[in-house]
Structure formats: C-alpha cells, structure tokens
Amino acid sequence: MQQILHHLIKHHDPTLVLLAGIICAISVITAVRLYRRALYGGMTRRLSWLILTGITAGNGFWATHFVAMMAYHPGVSVYYEPGLTVLSLMIAIAGSGIGFAISSIAKNNKPFLRALGGLVLGFSISAMHFTGIMAVHINAEILWNFDIAIAAIILSCLFSVLALVICKDCSQWRDRKLAVLFLSLAVITMHFTAMEAMTISSVMPAVNEISEALFEREALAISIAVAIISFLIVGAAFVTRLLEQQLRDEAASQLRNLGNAAVEGLVITQENKIIDANQSFVDLVEAQESDVIGTSFETLW
C-alpha cells in the first residue's frame, strides 16, 4: 500500500486525481440510487432502470479511469487510440448493466446471484481498465508485474461482490452507504493498483519542459471535457430519479389522504408486517402510527 501511495504522489497530477475521485463518488451514488429503483416494478420498467443504471455506472467508471490516466505523467509522449478508448467505455457500460441485472434478480432470497452480479461488475471494471491501457501508445516499453495486476483484479472483484451482497434490496440507508463505499473502492483500487503493476522503460529521450507543459495543459483540458460530459449524464440520471420519486410521493400522498378519509380501518401488510395504515385503524387499536408500522399484524390483533 505504501508503494502504491508513493507511486500515486510521485507520478500523478493531484488536481486531476481529485477530479477523478469526485467523478467516481457522484457516479457511484447515482448508480446505487438507480439500482434501488430497478429492483421494483414491472419487467419493462425494471429493464429501463437497469439500462440507465448501466449507462450511468459504466460512464462514471470509465470517466474515473480516463481522467486518472490523464493525471499520470510517465515522462514520455502519450497518444490514445480512439477505437480502443471507445471500446473500453462500451465494456464498462455493458458489464455494469449485466452485473446489476444479474444482482437484481436475487432481491433478498439469493445472495449467490448478487455475488455473481458483483463478480461480473468487478471483471468489467478490470477489463475496462486494461483495454484503456492498451489504447495508450507511448514512446517507451511497458513492463508488467503480473502478481500486482492479478491482485488489482481480485480487489476489484472482491469489493464489487461486497457492494452488491451488502446492498441487498437497497431498502436500508446503511446498506446503501456501504454499497457506495465498496463500489468506489472497487474502481479506485483497481486503477491505482494496476498502475503500480506497470513500469515504463523509456527507449526515447524524455520530453522537454515545453512539451511536458503542453501535455499537462492538454491533459487538463481533455479531463475537464470528459468530466463535464460525465456530470451531464450522471446529472440527467439523477434528475430522472428525483422526478420519478416526486411523482411516487405525490401518488402515495393522495392514496394516504383517500385512506384517511375512510371510516373503516385500512391496513397494508407485507410478509405479515404492517407497512401502512390509515388513521381509522390507528384509532381502532388505540395506538400511535409509529407504534403500528413495522409490527406483526397477527401479534397486534
């Protein structure tokens, strides 16, 4: 870990590393919120939310990787092949969508499927990273420490599995926070551990100060452009989720008002647990609403 931190501080632009971290955090938070919505509703609606989750998560993972790559200063000229760069983005989006889709089948009953979904997600993050590395063309030879590279893949898969297994049905705020933490760690540890596995053996003279300054300006400009596009995509997904939640809250409020207008006691249960009740039912059992919600219907009666 100390060696990785030394590599990070010595060879990376701290401003762009911070930007990559912000992109990662916002993308993961939004993806988990969208994934929570994808667990409920009909098949068509769930599929729509899963596609949006995959696009948001995949774009966020890729943007984090790309900006972090732009933050890396190897000391030689760098060129990114467009085809492989776009392919790495497609891998991130497709792998994220498939991973979340597999996990969504499980809900509360099948942790194996959640773990499998996390494994797919972790492998897609790894595949995205190494495809992105293949897109980098530099005037130097790249040497690999395969032990560290394998460790990076294992860490990415492990944290991804933990994120989706712990997240369950996303009903608990604590579970969602842990899912965000572990999914962020899956992306961050994958990138920077894998970068530690890469050694550049220069075969060309190092770039001069003018070229290095030009590279830094270009890297900053490209990174800002990628960040803006990513924020727009994530922002659109976030706003969509908020609007949908607002519509649901309004509909629930209307139903509650209608239920409270009824003279009869009305109660809604799920797996024998009371999840909602109107005022007439609360008055009937001579209790507070907070004492009723979450209790066993059979026990209460």
Side-chain angles (χ1 to χ4, degrees), residues 79-140:
Y79 167 73
Y80 291 89
E81 183 179 329
L84 287 175
T85 301
V86 173
L87 178 60
S88 67
L89 172 60
M90 295 298 102
I91 290 174
I93 292 175
S96 298
I98 294 172
F100 280 115
I102 294 173
S103 180
S104 70
I105 300 173
K107 290 196 175 180
N108 290 323
N109 303 322
K110 301 174 182 177
F112 168 75
L113 286 177
R114 292 199 300 274
L116 179 60
L119 197 61
V120 171
L121 191 58
F123 273 119
S124 71
I125 294 172
S126 303
M128 174 269 297
H129 175 87
F130 288 109
T131 303
I133 293 296
M134 291 171 58
V136 178
H137 293 267
I138 60 177
N139 295 326

Side-chain angles (χ1 to χ4, degrees), residues 13 50 65 71 110 116 150 171 183 209 217 221 260 283-284:
D13 184 332
L50 283 170
H65 160 80
K110 301 174 182 177
L116 179 60
I150 292 173
S171 60
L183 203 51
E209 294 181 0
R217 289 197 297 270
N260 286 334
D283 294 339
L284 182 64

Side-chain angles (χ1 to χ4, degrees), residues 54-293:
I55 292 174
T56 302
N59 176 79
F61 298 161
W62 176 84
T64 300
H65 160 80
F66 189 84
V67 173
M69 282 298 302
M70 297 301 295
Y72 179 59
H73 295 164
V76 293
S77 58
V78 179
Y79 167 73
Y80 291 89
E81 183 179 329
L84 287 175
T85 301
V86 173
L87 178 60
S88 67
L89 172 60
M90 295 298 102
I91 290 174
I93 292 175
S96 298
I98 294 172
F100 280 115
I102 294 173
S103 180
S104 70
I105 300 173
K107 290 196 175 180
N108 290 323
N109 303 322
K110 301 174 182 177
F112 168 75
L113 286 177
R114 292 199 300 274
L116 179 60
L119 197 61
V120 171
L121 191 58
F123 273 119
S124 71
I125 294 172
S126 303
M128 174 269 297
H129 175 87
F130 288 109
T131 303
I133 293 296
M134 291 171 58
V136 178
H137 293 267
I138 60 177
N139 295 326
E141 180 184 5
I142 298 179
L143 305 177
W144 287 96
N145 184 322
F146 289 101
D147 291 339
I148 298 179
I150 292 173
I153 297 173
I154 292 174
L155 285 173
S156 179
C157 292
L158 175 62
F159 285 129
S160 297
V161 169
L162 286 174
L164 294 189
V165 169
I166 289 175
C167 195
K168 298 179 183 178
D169 62 349
C170 292
S171 60
Q172 300 296 322
W173 172 237
R174 175 179 174 274
D175 295 341
R176 295 196 297 273
K177 286 195 298 184
L178 289 175
V180 168
L181 172 62
F182 285 125
L183 203 51
S184 299
L185 287 174
V187 179
I188 294 172
T189 57
M190 172 67 236
H191 179 85
F192 291 108
T193 304
M195 291 300 291
E196 176 61 26
M198 185 177 69
T199 302
I200 294 179
S201 177
S202 179
V203 295
M204 296 290 289
V207 294
N208 56 39
E209 294 181 0
I210 298 178
S211 298
E212 179 67 19
L214 179 62
F215 171 78
E216 290 182 0
R217 289 197 297 270
E218 291 179 347
L220 180 60
I222 295 173
S223 300
I224 291 175
V226 171
I228 291 174
I229 295 173
S230 300
F231 286 143
L232 288 175
I233 294 175
V234 172
F238 186 74
V239 170
T240 300
R241 176 68 178 86
L242 288 181
L243 290 175
E244 194 271 344
Q245 183 64 46
Q246 183 178 1
L247 292 174
R248 290 181 61 200
D249 291 343
E250 290 177 355
S253 178
Q254 293 175 357
L255 288 175
R256 171 171 286 276
N257 292 335
L258 181 61
N260 286 334
V263 178
E264 296 84 358
L266 302 176
V267 60
I268 301 175
T269 66
Q270 182 177 6
E271 297 179 355
N272 199 40
K273 296 289 185 181
I274 298 176
I275 60 174
D276 202 359
N278 69 348
Q279 189 60 45
S280 295
F281 180 83
V282 173
D283 294 339
L284 182 64
V285 297
E286 298 180 350
Q288 299 294 324
E289 182 180 351
S290 58
D291 298 328
V292 172
I293 304 301

Side-chain angles (χ1 to χ4, degrees), residues 7-29:
H7 184 271
L8 172 62
I9 295 172
K10 182 178 179 180
H11 297 288
H12 289 77
D13 184 332
T15 302
L16 293 182
V17 170
L18 177 61
L19 179 60
I22 294 173
I23 293 173
C24 181
I26 295 176
S27 301
V28 170
I29 291 172

